[in-house]
Amino acid sequence: MKTSLPRKQKGAVAIEFALVFIIFFGVFYAMVSYSLPLLLLQSFNQATAEAVRRSVALDPNSAGYAANVGPQAAAIARLQLSWIPDSFGFQPGYVTGTYDGSVLKVAINYPSANLKKVLPFIVLPGIGSVPSLPTNLTAQSSLQF
């Protein structure tokens, strides 16, 4: 005796697969699309901290110290970030180093819109842009003398 159950279930597997695939793809895309900005932020934090650490080696009694320590710290941070591919649009002007006589600050302000060249942003109805990022990815380290 044959039952009609398999005949009624013909498209159920395809529908279940489509629903599960959408959820799986959403989670996977979120992991990939947020990991790149997080990698950049961690690299920016490390580069600014290393620039400040290395700037301590400069002799504060040397001629032109106040004028040279900020730009040298920024150059060190840029060197730390030389691994970033050109397709990311990272410009040397995004790194600044300033010294006001008592505090050395190294900052990086990277426009997150540059990531659209590398990573497609998806706009989901009701959710918005994925990944949802601030206007600039920023990192800063400072050292008080």
Side-chain angles (χ1 to χ4, degrees), residues 5-110:
L5 188 62
R7 198 171 271 183
K8 291 181 181 179
Q9 294 281 325
K10 232 177 185 178
V13 173
I15 292 171
E16 290 171 3
F17 173 77
L19 293 174
V20 170
F21 178 77
I22 290 170
I23 293 169
F24 174 75
F25 179 76
V27 170
F28 176 75
Y29 188 78
M31 286 186 338
V32 170
S33 65
Y34 281 105
S35 65
L36 185 59
L38 288 174
L39 170 70
L40 286 174
L41 274 175
Q42 183 62 26
S43 298
F44 295 163
N45 282 317
Q46 190 276 333
T48 58
E50 184 67 20
V52 168
R53 270 193 294 274
R54 286 194 190 175
S55 297
V56 172
L58 291 175
D59 182 13
N61 298 321
S62 64
Y65 175 79
N68 293 334
V69 71
Q72 179 161 345
I76 292 168
R78 282 187 215 100
L79 183 64
Q80 291 285 315
L81 299 172
S82 61
W83 65 268
I84 298 176
D86 292 336
S87 59
F88 283 64
F90 188 81
Q91 303 294 322
Y94 297 151
V95 182
T96 58
T98 57
Y99 178 66
D100 66 3
S102 63
V103 177
L104 171 65
K105 291 182 184 176
V106 179
I108 299 173
N109 291 311
Y110 177 75

